[in-house]
Amino acid sequence: MARTQGSHSDITGPRIQAAALKLFAQHGYAAVSMRQIAKEVGVQAGALYNYTPDKQSMLFRLMKTHMVDLLTAWEESESPEGPLEQLRHFTRFHIRFHRERPEEVFIAYMELRNLSPENFAEIEALRGQYENALETILKAGVEAGQFHVPDTKIATLAVIAMLTGVNTWYRAGGRLSLDEVEAIYWDMVRKSVAP
Amino acid sequence: MARTQGSHSDITGPRIQAAALKLFAQHGYAAVSMRQIAKEVGVQAGALYNYTPDKQSMLFRLMKTHMVDLLTAWEESESPEGPLEQLRHFTRFHIRFHRERPEEVFIAYMELRNLSPENFAEIEALRGQYENALETILKAGVEAGQFHVPDTKIATLAVIAMLTGVNTWYRAGGRLSLDEVEAIYWDMVRKSVAP
DNA sequence: ACGTTATATGAACATTTGTTCAGATAAAAG
DNA sequence: CTTTTATCTGAACAAATGTTCATATAACGT
């Protein structure tokens, strides 16, 4: 056999991406073989190389797409007036965006060490941009006297770590709705930077 | 050749543990081979099997030892009076303990999915015990009217996520001393659960 | 209908993987 | 010194790894 009926790169491509995403998130990049990904798609391993130069590029692509999506979504979101409202907006945005992409988030946090140095640097730069968005808000709030944090850089990382932690326990259909979760976290974030 | 001069299980055993710890933390469990571990120790791969039944047991042992050490250290630490002081004590303890064992912490968080179901359950139970320690403090504080948190379980996870995040950026000899870091985080934790 | 291009197969490759084991040597015990 | 026990080597195993490529067929453009 050779080319199969109905085969098309517009279909196979995304399916390969999706399979890699799922399997990397489930078992980890290093533990997943190209043959497993191919099997998930219903194709032979060799066919994957029509869509990626190598395995490592698949990982990088997933992570980069995720980070770019994150930054784009943030920039496109409506930013309210005033540091306090902006912080609230960031809190809601972060929880919601991350909750919608648990697999991408998991990979973006866990597989950094499997990136080549150049790829790693690129992802880290994007992450830095995102952190800057929050730090800018915190700095403005401190200057306006609405926040008190001993160190805006650390507060930024602390808040992000706290919010991202939602993904480790939240399950849809659980005890709490996403709205409730957002309210709870917003209460804690708001107070943690209060004067 | 066969048995080597000066060889002794009391020496080789710990060295294997240390090598596995270092390499698992650096490259991830799945990405590290038994031969790499053996090479780090200066021994052939076959010799490892005098100390572990298989690779997976090495991982489990590392994780279990870490979790038991954590719980033991917590139980042995002097607990002050009153929820607020206990929360402060927990904050300091958590940051310090985790800062002293970055490799163990990293592995304990990242390699859960590589455990067999039974092993996973055992580690998760230990983690649950530790989380309970904090939740107990929070509950007491809420009852005494000293804390306000919408949900003690979530607050527990949020605080732990925030504190463990220290490990992702703190480097000895950096801009801030460990004392300063503790003070900064304590400020945020205290306020986040304030009434 | 036909030529071109896109997309897959399936076999092959050199390496590497976790693990086993018989045999050899060192250390400890008698 | 001799025997027993502990510890390691080195070779071996089948299976799995990432990747390449000649080849075949489907889809598309004309």
Side-chain angles (χ1 to χ4, degrees), chain A residues 87-95 163 182 185-186 189:
Chain A
L87 181 60
R88 177 186 202 153
H89 174 228
F90 182 91
T91 300
R92 287 178 49 92
F93 170 84
H94 187 94
I95 290 178
L163 294 179
E182 283 175 11
Y185 273 87
W186 166 236
V189 168

Side-chain angles (χ1 to χ4, degrees), chain B residues 66-116:
Chain B
H66 172 65
M67 292 307 296
V68 169
D69 285 355
L70 172 64
L71 285 168
T72 305
W74 171 250
E75 281 157 15
E76 285 177 354
S77 71
E78 289 280 342
S79 183
E81 286 288 324
L84 191 64
E85 280 309 309
Q86 283 172 4
L87 182 59
R88 177 186 202 153
H89 175 229
F90 182 90
T91 300
R92 287 178 49 92
F93 170 83
H94 186 95
I95 290 179
R96 228 162 247 279
F97 188 91
H98 283 64
R99 229 1 266 177
E100 286 166 1
R101 297 161 175 79
E103 292 171 325
E104 284 89 340
V105 170
F106 201 64
I107 291 172
Y109 274 83
M110 305 275 276
E111 305 292 356
L112 284 167
R113 58 188 165 188
N114 288 306
L115 293 175
S116 70

